[in-house]
mmCIF file of all heavy atoms in Angstrom:
data_model
loop_
_atom_site.group_PDB
_atom_site.id
_atom_site.type_symbol
_atom_site.label_atom_id
_atom_site.label_comp_id
_atom_site.label_asym_id
_atom_site.label_seq_id
_atom_site.Cartn_x
_atom_site.Cartn_y
_atom_site.Cartn_z
ATOM 1 N N LEU A 332 -75.049 29.748 -32.897
ATOM 2 C CA LEU A 332 -76.365 29.137 -33.081
ATOM 3 C C LEU A 332 -76.515 28.076 -32.000
ATOM 4 O O LEU A 332 -75.734 27.130 -31.942
ATOM 5 C CB LEU A 332 -76.483 28.498 -34.472
ATOM 6 C CG LEU A 332 -77.756 27.673 -34.727
ATOM 7 C CD1 LEU A 332 -78.993 28.554 -34.633
ATOM 8 C CD2 LEU A 332 -77.680 26.985 -36.091
ATOM 9 N N ASP A 333 -77.513 28.220 -31.134
ATOM 10 C CA ASP A 333 -77.720 27.284 -30.024
ATOM 11 C C ASP A 333 -79.023 26.529 -30.225
ATOM 12 O O ASP A 333 -80.114 27.104 -30.118
ATOM 13 C CB ASP A 333 -77.750 28.045 -28.695
ATOM 14 C CG ASP A 333 -77.641 27.108 -27.495
ATOM 15 O OD1 ASP A 333 -77.907 25.898 -27.667
ATOM 16 O OD2 ASP A 333 -77.303 27.578 -26.394
ATOM 17 N N LEU A 334 -78.898 25.239 -30.543
ATOM 18 C CA LEU A 334 -80.055 24.356 -30.707
ATOM 19 C C LEU A 334 -79.962 23.178 -29.740
ATOM 20 O O LEU A 334 -80.502 22.106 -30.011
ATOM 21 C CB LEU A 334 -80.140 23.853 -32.152
ATOM 22 C CG LEU A 334 -80.407 24.923 -33.220
ATOM 23 C CD1 LEU A 334 -80.242 24.345 -34.617
ATOM 24 C CD2 LEU A 334 -81.814 25.502 -33.057
ATOM 25 N N ASN A 335 -79.296 23.377 -28.628
ATOM 26 C CA ASN A 335 -79.187 22.318 -27.625
ATOM 27 C C ASN A 335 -80.571 21.871 -27.173
ATOM 28 O O ASN A 335 -81.513 22.660 -27.146
ATOM 29 C CB ASN A 335 -78.413 22.816 -26.398
ATOM 30 C CG ASN A 335 -76.920 22.739 -26.614
ATOM 31 O OD1 ASN A 335 -76.407 21.739 -27.075
ATOM 32 N ND2 ASN A 335 -76.222 23.820 -26.301
ATOM 33 N N GLY A 336 -80.668 20.598 -26.779
ATOM 34 C CA GLY A 336 -81.935 20.084 -26.278
ATOM 35 C C GLY A 336 -82.893 19.672 -27.365
ATOM 36 O O GLY A 336 -84.081 19.472 -27.117
ATOM 37 N N THR A 337 -82.388 19.547 -28.610
ATOM 38 C CA THR A 337 -83.239 19.098 -29.723
ATOM 39 C C THR A 337 -83.692 17.666 -29.478
ATOM 40 O O THR A 337 -82.924 16.814 -29.046
ATOM 41 C CB THR A 337 -82.466 19.185 -31.046
ATOM 42 O OG1 THR A 337 -82.122 20.554 -31.289
ATOM 43 C CG2 THR A 337 -83.309 18.684 -32.205
ATOM 44 N N SER A 338 -84.961 17.386 -29.775
ATOM 45 C CA SER A 338 -85.532 16.056 -29.542
ATOM 46 C C SER A 338 -85.292 15.149 -30.735
ATOM 47 O O SER A 338 -85.225 15.595 -31.884
ATOM 48 C CB SER A 338 -87.044 16.180 -29.286
ATOM 49 O OG SER A 338 -87.654 14.919 -29.297
ATOM 50 N N ASP A 339 -85.158 13.848 -30.464
ATOM 51 C CA ASP A 339 -85.019 12.860 -31.540
ATOM 52 C C ASP A 339 -86.361 12.358 -32.031
ATOM 53 O O ASP A 339 -86.440 11.572 -32.969
ATOM 54 C CB ASP A 339 -84.208 11.645 -31.049
ATOM 55 C CG ASP A 339 -82.768 12.027 -30.768
ATOM 56 O OD1 ASP A 339 -82.277 12.934 -31.450
ATOM 57 O OD2 ASP A 339 -82.156 11.410 -29.875
ATOM 58 N N ASP A 340 -87.466 12.788 -31.388
ATOM 59 C CA ASP A 340 -88.791 12.286 -31.767
ATOM 60 C C ASP A 340 -89.148 12.734 -33.167
ATOM 61 O O ASP A 340 -88.705 13.769 -33.658
ATOM 62 C CB ASP A 340 -89.860 12.820 -30.800
ATOM 63 C CG ASP A 340 -89.623 12.297 -29.389
ATOM 64 O OD1 ASP A 340 -88.940 11.264 -29.271
ATOM 65 O OD2 ASP A 340 -90.121 12.936 -28.439
ATOM 66 N N GLU A 341 -90.013 11.942 -33.809
ATOM 67 C CA GLU A 341 -90.454 12.282 -35.161
ATOM 68 C C GLU A 341 -91.317 13.532 -35.161
ATOM 69 O O GLU A 341 -91.358 14.283 -36.109
ATOM 70 C CB GLU A 341 -91.253 11.109 -35.761
ATOM 71 C CG GLU A 341 -90.387 9.921 -36.110
ATOM 72 C CD GLU A 341 -89.358 10.267 -37.158
ATOM 73 O OE1 GLU A 341 -89.693 10.988 -38.110
ATOM 74 O OE2 GLU A 341 -88.206 9.831 -37.036
ATOM 75 N N GLY A 342 -92.090 13.705 -34.065
ATOM 76 C CA GLY A 342 -92.823 14.970 -33.930
ATOM 77 C C GLY A 342 -94.206 14.988 -34.506
ATOM 78 O O GLY A 342 -94.856 16.003 -34.500
ATOM 79 N N GLU A 343 -94.757 13.852 -35.058
ATOM 80 C CA GLU A 343 -96.083 13.891 -35.644
ATOM 81 C C GLU A 343 -97.181 14.233 -34.641
ATOM 82 O O GLU A 343 -98.085 14.975 -34.965
ATOM 83 C CB GLU A 343 -96.386 12.557 -36.329
ATOM 84 C CG GLU A 343 -95.595 12.360 -37.605
ATOM 85 C CD GLU A 343 -96.027 11.133 -38.358
ATOM 86 O OE1 GLU A 343 -96.992 10.493 -37.936
ATOM 87 O OE2 GLU A 343 -95.383 10.830 -39.359
ATOM 88 N N PRO A 344 -97.140 13.703 -33.400
ATOM 89 C CA PRO A 344 -98.205 14.034 -32.462
ATOM 90 C C PRO A 344 -98.081 15.440 -31.898
ATOM 91 O O PRO A 344 -98.942 15.885 -31.165
ATOM 92 C CB PRO A 344 -98.004 13.010 -31.328
ATOM 93 C CG PRO A 344 -96.953 12.071 -31.770
ATOM 94 C CD PRO A 344 -96.190 12.773 -32.826
ATOM 95 N N GLU A 345 -96.993 16.142 -32.215
ATOM 96 C CA GLU A 345 -96.702 17.405 -31.555
ATOM 97 C C GLU A 345 -97.795 18.438 -31.713
ATOM 98 O O GLU A 345 -98.114 19.170 -30.792
ATOM 99 C CB GLU A 345 -95.391 17.970 -32.099
ATOM 100 C CG GLU A 345 -94.951 19.234 -31.400
ATOM 101 C CD GLU A 345 -93.720 19.803 -32.019
ATOM 102 O OE1 GLU A 345 -92.644 19.258 -31.800
ATOM 103 O OE2 GLU A 345 -93.849 20.798 -32.752
ATOM 104 N N GLU A 346 -98.435 18.493 -32.886
ATOM 105 C CA GLU A 346 -99.416 19.538 -33.139
ATOM 106 C C GLU A 346 -100.569 19.436 -32.149
ATOM 107 O O GLU A 346 -101.003 20.427 -31.586
ATOM 108 C CB GLU A 346 -99.934 19.433 -34.575
ATOM 109 C CG GLU A 346 -100.894 20.562 -34.924
ATOM 110 C CD GLU A 346 -101.274 20.542 -36.385
ATOM 111 O OE1 GLU A 346 -100.632 19.809 -37.159
ATOM 112 O OE2 GLU A 346 -102.220 21.250 -36.735
ATOM 113 N N ASP A 347 -101.058 18.207 -31.923
ATOM 114 C CA ASP A 347 -102.144 18.032 -30.986
ATOM 115 C C ASP A 347 -101.720 18.422 -29.582
ATOM 116 O O ASP A 347 -102.457 19.068 -28.850
ATOM 117 C CB ASP A 347 -102.623 16.568 -30.982
ATOM 118 C CG ASP A 347 -103.285 16.195 -32.309
ATOM 119 O OD1 ASP A 347 -103.758 17.122 -32.980
ATOM 120 O OD2 ASP A 347 -103.312 15.000 -32.641
ATOM 121 N N ASP A 348 -100.494 18.013 -29.191
ATOM 122 C CA ASP A 348 -99.995 18.363 -27.867
ATOM 123 C C ASP A 348 -99.924 19.876 -27.706
ATOM 124 O O ASP A 348 -100.274 20.426 -26.671
ATOM 125 C CB ASP A 348 -98.583 17.780 -27.651
ATOM 126 C CG ASP A 348 -98.619 16.258 -27.551
ATOM 127 O OD1 ASP A 348 -99.717 15.733 -27.326
ATOM 128 O OD2 ASP A 348 -97.549 15.641 -27.709
ATOM 129 N N ASP A 349 -99.468 20.549 -28.739
ATOM 130 C CA ASP A 349 -99.320 22.002 -28.694
ATOM 131 C C ASP A 349 -100.669 22.672 -28.524
ATOM 132 O O ASP A 349 -100.841 23.592 -27.745
ATOM 133 C CB ASP A 349 -98.642 22.476 -29.974
ATOM 134 C CG ASP A 349 -98.065 23.869 -29.812
ATOM 135 O OD1 ASP A 349 -97.392 24.093 -28.799
ATOM 136 O OD2 ASP A 349 -98.291 24.699 -30.691
ATOM 137 N N GLU A 350 -101.666 22.201 -29.292
ATOM 138 C CA GLU A 350 -103.003 22.758 -29.183
ATOM 139 C C GLU A 350 -103.555 22.536 -27.787
ATOM 140 O O GLU A 350 -104.188 23.408 -27.210
ATOM 141 C CB GLU A 350 -103.931 22.119 -30.228
ATOM 142 C CG GLU A 350 -103.584 22.476 -31.673
ATOM 143 C CD GLU A 350 -103.799 23.944 -31.963
ATOM 144 O OE1 GLU A 350 -104.505 24.639 -31.208
ATOM 145 O OE2 GLU A 350 -103.229 24.420 -32.962
ATOM 146 N N ASP A 351 -103.310 21.339 -27.235
ATOM 147 C CA ASP A 351 -103.792 21.042 -25.886
ATOM 148 C C ASP A 351 -103.181 22.005 -24.880
ATOM 149 O O ASP A 351 -103.871 22.522 -24.007
ATOM 150 C CB ASP A 351 -103.434 19.600 -25.487
ATOM 151 C CG ASP A 351 -104.266 18.579 -26.262
ATOM 152 O OD1 ASP A 351 -105.290 18.988 -26.838
ATOM 153 O OD2 ASP A 351 -103.870 17.395 -26.276
ATOM 154 N N ASP A 352 -101.869 22.235 -25.006
ATOM 155 C CA ASP A 352 -101.197 23.156 -24.086
ATOM 156 C C ASP A 352 -101.789 24.553 -24.192
ATOM 157 O O ASP A 352 -102.041 25.222 -23.194
ATOM 158 C CB ASP A 352 -99.700 23.235 -24.405
ATOM 159 C CG ASP A 352 -98.949 22.034 -23.855
ATOM 160 O OD1 ASP A 352 -99.585 21.241 -23.142
ATOM 161 O OD2 ASP A 352 -97.747 21.913 -24.153
ATOM 162 N N ASP A 353 -102.007 25.011 -25.437
ATOM 163 C CA ASP A 353 -102.566 26.345 -25.643
ATOM 164 C C ASP A 353 -103.953 26.456 -25.034
ATOM 165 O O ASP A 353 -104.326 27.457 -24.428
ATOM 166 C CB ASP A 353 -102.625 26.680 -27.143
ATOM 167 C CG ASP A 353 -101.236 26.983 -27.686
ATOM 168 O OD1 ASP A 353 -100.334 27.184 -26.858
ATOM 169 O OD2 ASP A 353 -101.074 26.997 -28.912
ATOM 170 N N GLU A 354 -104.789 25.393 -25.243
ATOM 171 C CA GLU A 354 -106.136 25.420 -24.700
ATOM 172 C C GLU A 354 -106.105 25.454 -23.180
ATOM 173 O O GLU A 354 -106.871 26.165 -22.535
ATOM 174 C CB GLU A 354 -106.923 24.197 -25.186
ATOM 175 C CG GLU A 354 -107.323 24.307 -26.660
ATOM 176 C CD GLU A 354 -107.891 22.991 -27.173
ATOM 177 O OE1 GLU A 354 -108.194 22.114 -26.345
ATOM 178 O OE2 GLU A 354 -108.035 22.863 -28.401
ATOM 179 N N GLU A 355 -105.186 24.657 -22.592
ATOM 180 C CA GLU A 355 -105.072 24.644 -21.132
ATOM 181 C C GLU A 355 -104.655 26.006 -20.617
ATOM 182 O O GLU A 355 -105.179 26.499 -19.617
ATOM 183 C CB GLU A 355 -104.040 23.592 -20.702
ATOM 184 C CG GLU A 355 -104.565 22.176 -20.821
ATOM 185 C CD GLU A 355 -103.478 21.159 -20.521
ATOM 186 O OE1 GLU A 355 -102.445 21.567 -19.950
ATOM 187 O OE2 GLU A 355 -103.675 19.986 -20.839
ATOM 188 N N GLU A 356 -103.709 26.657 -21.322
ATOM 189 C CA GLU A 356 -103.273 27.985 -20.912
ATOM 190 C C GLU A 356 -104.424 28.971 -20.941
ATOM 191 O O GLU A 356 -104.622 29.771 -20.034
ATOM 192 C CB GLU A 356 -102.153 28.486 -21.831
ATOM 193 C CG GLU A 356 -100.814 27.820 -21.584
ATOM 194 C CD GLU A 356 -99.816 28.181 -22.643
ATOM 195 O OE1 GLU A 356 -100.078 29.139 -23.394
ATOM 196 O OE2 GLU A 356 -98.769 27.512 -22.735
ATOM 197 N N GLU A 357 -105.244 28.900 -22.040
ATOM 198 C CA GLU A 357 -106.366 29.815 -22.173
ATOM 199 C C GLU A 357 -107.385 29.601 -21.070
ATOM 200 O O GLU A 357 -107.930 30.542 -20.499
ATOM 201 C CB GLU A 357 -107.011 29.638 -23.551
ATOM 202 C CG GLU A 357 -106.137 30.210 -24.674
ATOM 203 C CD GLU A 357 -106.627 29.793 -26.041
ATOM 204 O OE1 GLU A 357 -107.597 29.021 -26.103
ATOM 205 O OE2 GLU A 357 -106.038 30.240 -27.034
ATOM 206 N N GLU A 358 -107.656 28.304 -20.743
ATOM 207 C CA GLU A 358 -108.604 28.009 -19.679
ATOM 208 C C GLU A 358 -108.098 28.551 -18.346
ATOM 209 O O GLU A 358 -108.847 29.142 -17.570
ATOM 210 C CB GLU A 358 -108.823 26.494 -19.580
ATOM 211 C CG GLU A 358 -109.655 25.946 -20.733
ATOM 212 C CD GLU A 358 -109.666 24.415 -20.729
ATOM 213 O OE1 GLU A 358 -109.187 23.830 -19.737
ATOM 214 O OE2 GLU A 358 -110.169 23.828 -21.703
ATOM 215 N N ASP A 359 -106.797 28.325 -18.081
ATOM 216 C CA ASP A 359 -106.220 28.812 -16.831
ATOM 217 C C ASP A 359 -106.309 30.326 -16.740
ATOM 218 O O ASP A 359 -106.612 30.887 -15.688
ATOM 219 C CB ASP A 359 -104.744 28.394 -16.723
ATOM 220 C CG ASP A 359 -104.599 26.898 -16.494
ATOM 221 O OD1 ASP A 359 -105.609 26.280 -16.097
ATOM 222 O OD2 ASP A 359 -103.489 26.374 -16.738
ATOM 223 N N GLU A 360 -106.024 30.994 -17.889
ATOM 224 C CA GLU A 360 -106.059 32.457 -17.890
ATOM 225 C C GLU A 360 -107.467 32.962 -17.608
ATOM 226 O O GLU A 360 -107.672 33.938 -16.882
ATOM 227 C CB GLU A 360 -105.572 32.996 -19.234
ATOM 228 C CG GLU A 360 -104.058 32.893 -19.382
ATOM 229 C CD GLU A 360 -103.621 32.869 -20.822
ATOM 230 O OE1 GLU A 360 -104.443 33.185 -21.698
ATOM 231 O OE2 GLU A 360 -102.454 32.517 -21.064
ATOM 232 N N GLU A 361 -108.485 32.290 -18.199
ATOM 233 C CA GLU A 361 -109.864 32.714 -17.980
ATOM 234 C C GLU A 361 -110.264 32.531 -16.525
ATOM 235 O O GLU A 361 -110.941 33.374 -15.932
ATOM 236 C CB GLU A 361 -110.806 31.910 -18.887
ATOM 237 C CG GLU A 361 -110.710 32.324 -20.353
ATOM 238 C CD GLU A 361 -111.479 31.379 -21.257
ATOM 239 O OE1 GLU A 361 -112.164 30.490 -20.719
ATOM 240 O OE2 GLU A 361 -111.397 31.545 -22.481
ATOM 241 N N GLU A 362 -109.837 31.394 -15.931
ATOM 242 C CA GLU A 362 -110.187 31.126 -14.539
ATOM 243 C C GLU A 362 -109.530 32.113 -13.597
ATOM 244 O O GLU A 362 -110.096 32.520 -12.590
ATOM 245 C CB GLU A 362 -109.742 29.705 -14.159
ATOM 246 C CG GLU A 362 -110.606 28.632 -14.815
ATOM 247 C CD GLU A 362 -110.021 27.247 -14.576
ATOM 248 O OE1 GLU A 362 -109.048 27.157 -13.787
ATOM 249 O OE2 GLU A 362 -110.530 26.283 -15.152
ATOM 250 N N GLU A 363 -108.294 32.518 -13.929
ATOM 251 C CA GLU A 363 -107.525 33.366 -13.026
ATOM 252 C C GLU A 363 -107.764 34.848 -13.241
ATOM 253 O O GLU A 363 -107.427 35.672 -12.406
ATOM 254 C CB GLU A 363 -106.026 33.086 -13.193
ATOM 255 C CG GLU A 363 -105.653 31.694 -12.730
ATOM 256 C CD GLU A 363 -104.215 31.366 -13.057
ATOM 257 O OE1 GLU A 363 -103.533 32.265 -13.579
ATOM 258 O OE2 GLU A 363 -103.793 30.236 -12.815
#
Side-chain angles (χ1 to χ4, degrees):
L332 173 63
D333 193 341
L334 295 171
N335 278 313
T337 298
S338 169
D339 293 329
D340 296 339
E341 289 298 319
E343 288 187 5
E345 184 184 285
E346 184 173 348
D347 293 336
D348 291 343
D349 198 48
E350 293 294 342
D351 289 344
D352 281 354
D353 286 346
E354 287 170 13
E355 285 174 15
E356 286 171 14
E357 288 168 357
E358 287 171 10
D359 289 343
E360 285 156 14
E361 287 171 6
E362 288 172 8
E363 293 173 3

